[in-house]
């Protein structure tokens, strides 16, 4: 029965150490995403929107 208490104590200590190291790494910015913001601009406008100032293809063919 004493082995269970020892293993339980050790597992709780290991869990607390991992939790503290996780909190420290989050505070230091280890998990900040620096790649996605630089690529996000490439995928924002997947649909090409027609500019209102330029004539559309249908009006170009009618004029010529």
């Amino acid at each position: 029965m004493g082995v269970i208490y020892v293993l339980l104590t050790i597992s709780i200590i290991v869990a607390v150490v991992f939790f503290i190291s996780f909190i420290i790494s989050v505070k230091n910015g280890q998990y900040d995403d620096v790649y996605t913001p630089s690529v996000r601009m490439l995928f924002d406008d997947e649909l090409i929107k027609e500019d209102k100032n330029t004539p559309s293809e249908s009006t170009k063919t009618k004029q010529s």
Side-chain angles (χ1 to χ4, degrees), residues 10-64:
I10 291 172
S11 66
I12 289 174
I13 290 172
V14 169
V16 167
V17 167
F18 278 115
F19 182 69
I20 290 172
S21 65
F22 174 74
I23 295 297
I24 290 172
S25 65
V26 167
K27 285 186 178 184
N28 288 336
Q30 183 72 29
Y31 298 109
D32 288 346
D33 186 12
V34 295
Y35 177 70
T36 303
S38 64
V39 183
R40 186 178 301 144
M41 62 182 260
L42 300 175
F43 299 110
D44 274 348
D45 298 328
E46 294 211 4
L47 296 175
I48 299 174
K49 296 178 182 174
E50 189 173 314
D51 191 11
K52 293 179 182 178
N53 295 333
T54 60
S56 64
E57 289 296 322
S58 61
T59 57
K60 286 181 183 178
T61 57
K62 290 179 184 177
Q63 291 175 354
S64 42

